[in-house]
Amino acid sequence: MSGNSGRWLFAAVVAVAAVMTKAAGVSAEAAPEGKRLVVLGDSFTANGFDPLSKEQKCLRGLTAWPAQLSKLMGLQGSDQVADQSCVGASIDSGAGYTLGIEARDADKAGAFGPRTELVTLQFGLNDYWGGSDQSLWNAVQQCVFDLAAGCGSDAVDQGRMPDPRTVSGAAYAGRIRNVVAYIRYYAPNARIVLVGYPELFGADQDAVCLDFFGLVPFTQPQGRTVVEYFNRIDQAEREAAAQLKLDFLDARALTAGHGQCSPQPWVNGAFDPIINFGGLPFHPSPEGDAVVANALHEQYAR
């Protein structure tokens, strides 16, 4: 078995000890030096959108925070960035892109090595938790626009929403632990940052909304379970970062007061010509992504 195959038994979520044993056969000449910036994440990272496409594509927006961060680091257009983020990606749920697959693809591109400076991870909203077969995004599509039933606490009991209480820091840490250990082994000098999600809705509010065309806000007054789900994801990320000794970027605090339908939103509505007409709804606007990019640069990449 080749050295590269040995490396990626681990990326396929094999035990750390087994991988390190096989990886011992990789020669110093064969080992990559690594890219300075490695980005792994879901649509909040990639932030690319093609409403006319009928197939899943890993589109990455030109104003997404990885693109803005690459420019701040002086790496734009260079071979020192490996951005594997993809819309719809999860930690380990479903049949699409996962953290393990993205890390594997990054490794194939020579991303991990002693020169790797920063690795970012942003995942969780597309995952199934607590044995549910629903992700938050799938459930939101069913309940947010249902004014009669809504997304209140009864949505969980009726099976229309996954239970936010099943999201925990211990579960989150357990699901990313192997890939984190892999990255640490092959990129020993890198800072690994778990990037939190920005504010979409205030942590204490009950209603959720979406702005259409910059003119027509749609409000779902029974939205508490959606808000609580975001609260739980945020808490789980913080706790997982602490348990695994990762850095955590508090994007929610950085974007506080600028959620959906706020007076100054940093989140895309639906076809809003003022904020970002072609932007992915419920995802960061270029200004929201700039806040995250600047914070990552200031704290970890100067």
Side-chain angles (χ1 to χ4, degrees):
M1 179 175 290
S2 69
N4 286 337
S5 296
R7 281 171 66 103
W8 274 102
L9 282 176
F10 181 78
V13 196
V14 176
V16 177
V19 174
M20 290 183 178
T21 299
K22 295 180 185 296
V26 179
S27 68
E29 291 76 18
E33 295 181 344
K35 312 289 188 183
R36 289 181 58 192
L37 173 62
V38 184
V39 178
L40 312 175
D42 58 22
S43 58
F44 277 76
T45 309
N47 211 358
F49 182 43
D50 181 1
L52 301 179
S53 176
K54 295 183 180 180
E55 59 181 301
Q56 182 183 19
K57 298 179 180 179
C58 292
L59 300 176
R60 300 177 185 112
L62 297 177
T63 60
W65 65 253
Q68 296 195 50
L69 176 59
S70 298
K71 185 175 181 179
L72 291 170
M73 293 177 67
L75 302 178
Q76 189 177 43
S78 76
D79 64 353
Q80 288 302 302
V81 179
D83 183 357
Q84 299 294 334
S85 61
C86 192
V87 173
S90 65
I91 299 173
D92 55 13
S93 302
Y97 278 83
T98 63
L99 169 59
I101 291 173
E102 289 187 11
R104 178 202 65 192
D105 291 348
D107 184 72
K108 288 181 178 178
F112 301 122
R115 290 189 180 179
T116 305
E117 297 175 10
L118 178 62
V119 180
T120 63
L121 289 70
Q122 190 174 38
F123 293 91
L125 287 182
N126 293 319
D127 281 278
Y128 308 150
W129 297 91
S132 172
D133 60 356
Q134 293 187 83
S135 70
L136 172 63
W137 285 126
N138 290 337
V140 162
Q141 294 174 34
Q142 299 175 32
C143 75
V144 165
F145 297 108
D146 186 342
L147 283 174
C151 309
S153 57
D154 59 347
V156 174
D157 297 333
Q158 295 169 7
R160 295 183 293 107
M161 282 282 294
D163 191 343
R165 293 170 297 183
T166 63
V167 182
S168 71
Y172 196 111
R175 294 169 79 163
I176 70 171
R177 187 184 309 276
N178 283 350
V179 174
V180 167
Y182 173 84
I183 294 169
R184 279 193 169 128
Y185 184 78
Y186 287 108
N189 301 315
R191 297 287 292 272
I192 306 175
V193 181
L194 189 57
V195 179
Y197 289 99
E199 178 180 289
L200 296 189
F201 315 107
D204 298 324
Q205 69 185 66
D206 294 322
V208 297
C209 67
L210 177 66
D211 198 346
F212 285 89
F213 306 106
L215 299 171
V216 185
F218 172 88
T219 300
Q220 169 56 266
Q222 304 177 74
R224 183 60 202 170
T225 303
V226 173
V227 175
E228 184 57 26
Y229 209 110
F230 280 99
N231 292 347
R232 289 281 183 158
I233 289 286
D234 183 75
Q235 181 180 346
E237 289 176 309
R238 295 170 183 274
E239 292 175 355
Q243 290 174 32
L244 298 178
K245 295 181 173 56
L246 304 175
D247 288 285
F248 175 70
L249 185 78
D250 191 349
R252 202 176 196 189
L254 292 169
T255 57
H258 296 278
Q260 185 67 255
C261 298
S262 66
Q264 189 183 26
W266 291 345
V267 180
N268 297 325
F271 305 107
D272 186 338
I274 299 174
I275 298 176
N276 187 13
F277 181 79
L280 192 57
F282 286 121
H283 286 67
S285 68
E287 187 170 4
D289 271 330
V291 171
V292 173
N294 285 323
L296 286 168
H297 183 244
E298 288 294 323
Q299 296 182 38
Y300 307 111
R302 290 186 66 84

